[in-house]
Amino acid sequence: MLNTAVTSENIVPKPYKKGKVKRVLLSVFGLLLGLIFIFPVYILALNSFKVQKALFLNVLSFPDANTFTLNNYAESFSKLNYLQSFCNSLYITVFSTLLILLISTMAAWVLVRYKTRTSKFFFIIFAISMLIPFQCVMLPLMTVAKILNFLNPFGLIIMYMGFGTSLAIVMLHGFIKNVPEELEEAAVIDGCNIFQLFFIIVVPLLRIILITVAIQNVMWIWNDYLLPSLIINKPGIQTLPLMTYSFFGQYSTRWDLASAGLILCMIPVIVFYLFSQKYIIRGMTEGAIK
């Protein structure tokens, strides 16, 4: 009589087992990678509640009753001139992002809809320009900025627009390709002019990718230090990242205040990211598929 015993190995296919093991390994790897990235932020937050002496004695220790303090945040808030610096960062970030969205959306739409050799050439130029490091154009940019009197927040916004449009155009270009031309043709037949066609018909269809592009640029511009340090490193118009440099003196560094100050600078962009992270994943996924 044949042995017809049924075991779990007979029921579960081997490819399913391999796929399950692969998913578990990827999950563990992702968890470890996440912990590696979060660990510096954890150390920063931990030391922001310590006095300077305790921080030097043991960076990894938890603050106790003798070393715990909230004065770091109060002193950092005052030394950063937080409200003024926050408004400066917000002004530059918002207007730079809006200009990048407007210019890049118009440019990407024209490059997609007007299919000529010139449009292909310009798209390649935009794509190649992303490969040029900022350090290569830093000195010529400063020379031009001085000539044009662009050493102010307005000049910084224009520069951000120039550096941010290339990536935005490439992302939007792939997304716009999937927008049916029939919708635009129908709108033109109904009497839409080119501005109505763009702002009423096209832009609403690009909402997801526009939000994704906006989030990327907000996070980049808000956290940027190098370009503002070259253009607007003057009292009264400095951004939050620039003001954090005040904690690092020539002969001493207030790591306790610096830790609290850096956390204060991170909080706005972290809150912004938490409320908008779903749009990043959705926009990048749909953009890749389209």
Side-chain angles (χ1 to χ4, degrees):
M1 188 173 180
L2 296 175
N3 184 9
T4 59
V6 179
T7 64
S8 59
E9 294 182 357
N10 302 126
I11 297 175
V12 181
K14 289 184 178 180
Y16 176 79
K17 290 183 178 180
K18 291 181 179 179
K20 188 176 181 179
V21 171
K22 185 178 179 180
R23 286 193 297 271
V24 171
L25 292 176
L26 287 175
S27 299
V28 173
F29 176 75
L31 179 62
L32 292 175
L33 192 63
L35 291 175
I36 291 173
F37 279 100
I38 292 174
F39 185 71
V41 181
Y42 164 74
I43 295 298
L44 190 68
L46 189 68
N47 290 299
S48 67
F49 294 102
K50 295 180 185 177
V51 296
Q52 181 89 327
K53 181 180 178 181
L55 193 148
F56 285 135
L57 290 175
N58 191 346
V59 176
L60 299 177
S61 65
F62 282 91
D64 54 28
N66 297 323
T67 60
F68 179 82
T69 180
L70 293 175
N71 292 333
N72 291 341
Y73 283 92
E75 291 185 41
S76 298
F77 190 91
S78 176
K79 196 165 185 178
L80 285 173
N81 193 10
Y82 191 83
L83 294 179
Q84 179 66 47
S85 303
F86 176 85
C87 291
N88 293 338
S89 292
L90 186 64
Y91 165 75
I92 292 171
T93 302
V94 169
F95 281 96
S96 299
T97 303
L98 289 177
L99 278 176
I100 290 171
L101 291 177
L102 179 64
I103 301 300
S104 58
T105 306
M106 289 181 173
W109 182 57
V110 170
L111 291 175
V112 172
R113 290 295 179 249
Y114 296 89
K115 300 174 183 178
T116 62
R117 292 182 180 178
T118 306
S119 64
K120 292 180 180 179
F121 171 76
F122 279 112
F123 178 73
I124 293 173
I125 293 296
F126 283 121
I128 293 175
S129 66
M130 294 189 299
L131 304 176
I132 302 175
F134 170 74
Q135 289 77 8
C136 293
V137 298
M138 184 169 60
L139 294 179
L141 180 66
M142 287 300 299
T143 303
V144 174
K146 289 179 181 178
I147 294 173
L148 299 178
N149 194 23
F150 269 12
L151 300 178
N152 50 55
F154 174 77
L156 182 61
I157 290 172
I158 298 299
M159 293 176 195
Y160 276 135
M161 183 190 70
F163 286 115
T165 49
S166 296
L167 177 60
I169 287 172
V170 171
M171 293 179 64
L172 286 160
H173 189 275
F175 204 95
I176 293 173
K177 281 183 177 180
N178 203 57
V179 176
E181 293 187 44
E182 291 78 8
L183 291 175
E184 300 178 22
E185 293 172 356
V188 172
I189 293 173
D190 289 338
C192 283
N193 57 41
I194 191 169
F195 294 103
Q196 292 173 328
L197 176 63
F198 178 75
F199 288 104
I200 298 177
I201 305 299
V202 176
V203 171
L205 297 174
L206 307 177
R207 182 174 62 89
I208 297 298
I209 190 64
L210 286 175
I211 293 174
T212 304
V213 172
I215 293 168
Q216 289 182 332
N217 283 284
V218 164
M219 297 180 67
W220 157 55
I221 295 171
W222 182 274
N223 293 317
D224 189 32
Y225 176 85
L226 182 56
L227 186 56
S229 68
L230 299 172
I231 305 300
I232 58 167
N233 201 0
K234 301 174 184 177
I237 58 174
Q238 292 172 312
T239 59
L240 278 174
L242 289 180
M243 290 298 294
T244 58
Y245 191 72
S246 61
F247 300 120
F248 303 94
Q250 184 177 0
Y251 302 105
S252 64
T253 299
R254 291 297 306 271
W255 287 108
D256 52 344
L257 299 183
S259 299
L262 291 171
I263 292 294
L264 289 174
C265 294
M266 291 166 56
I267 287 175
V269 74
I270 289 175
V271 172
F272 175 78
Y273 177 79
L274 291 176
F275 279 101
S276 55
Q277 60 178 334
K278 63 179 181 180
Y279 294 107
I280 297 178
I281 299 171
R282 184 177 173 186
M284 294 298 289
T285 304
E286 293 189 12
I289 295 172
K290 294 174 187 297

